Amino acid sequence: MIIRKYETYQNDGVLELVKESEKRYEGTTNNPEEIKDMLNGAFRHGYRSEEIMHLVCFNTKMCCVGVFEIGHGTTTASLCNPKDIFKKALMVNAEAIVIVHNHPSGSTEPSKDDVKLTKKVKLAGEFIGIELLDHIIVANDDYFSFMQNDIL
């Protein structure tokens, strides 16, 4: 499978989708651990020294159609909102999404802000028809799945 990482740019007020890179990934993305492995393998996601939030987009056949970096923060926070998430998901015609961010502290325990964002994204997705499959928190090789822990 090819993982395509995209960026968006504005040109005279028009949003443009630009493929930033492609990386070959030999695994699948059918569960939270595989998604964590994919992002760690492609971007060393769980080992970053500041919080990074990625959006993984899927088509109707649950194939990954794109990955976006949607938030880049400090050692303790990353800013992101549902508008930015779904703007990018719509550009690749996603049917479902997973949001993933890391905790440089090494703890995968979700914060109150993590739970709040997850609920907002889930609700927004229900309105526009893009399902939030999971929110995954990664720390090194460990992870926490909101879906597996019945928070979604």
Side-chain angles (χ1 to χ4, degrees):
M1 162 175 57
I2 301 292
I3 302 168
R4 290 179 182 86
K5 184 173 183 211
Y6 292 100
E7 291 290 336
T8 53
Y9 297 94
Q10 277 193 279
N11 185 8
D12 293 326
V14 176
L15 197 61
E16 295 179 355
L17 181 68
V18 177
K19 183 174 65 174
E20 182 182 80
S21 64
E22 286 186 347
K23 296 187 187 261
R24 180 160 294 284
Y25 178 68
E26 298 303 326
T28 60
T29 53
N30 295 330
N31 66 53
E33 185 168 15
E34 291 170 344
I35 292 170
K36 180 258 312 172
D37 289 344
M38 176 187 74
L39 291 177
N40 273 350
F43 310 115
R44 295 195 39 86
H45 184 86
Y47 297 91
R48 301 291 299 267
S49 60
E50 62 281 328
E51 282 201 18
I52 308 289
M53 186 170 285
H54 279 97
L55 171 67
V56 183
C57 299
F58 297 92
N59 65 14
T60 56
K61 295 182 180 182
M62 294 310 296
C63 295
C64 179
V65 293
V67 176
F68 295 87
E69 183 178 305
I70 54 173
H72 193 131
T74 66
T75 57
T76 59
S78 178
L79 296 175
C80 188
N81 65 48
K83 175 185 169 185
D84 295 328
I85 291 170
F86 288 106
K87 179 172 34 175
K88 290 169 175 49
L90 288 165
M91 292 183 82
V92 294
N93 202 27
E95 287 291 320
I97 60 171
V98 172
I99 51 178
V100 185
H101 79 281
N102 67 314
H103 279 178
S105 68
S107 169
T108 58
E109 188 69 29
S111 69
K112 289 179 185 175
D113 287 338
D114 294 337
V115 174
K116 185 177 176 182
L117 174 66
T118 304
K119 290 179 180 179
K120 287 171 85 172
V121 171
K122 180 176 174 55
L123 184 61
E126 288 172 356
F127 279 111
I128 62 173
I130 298 177
E131 182 182 3
L132 174 62
L133 299 173
D134 205 349
H135 181 174
I136 302 167
I137 300 171
V138 178
N140 301 316
D141 275 326
D142 197 13
Y143 73 94
F144 177 93
S145 162
F146 281 65
M147 186 246 332
Q148 288 179 339
N149 287 277
D150 294 322
I151 298 175
L152 263 179

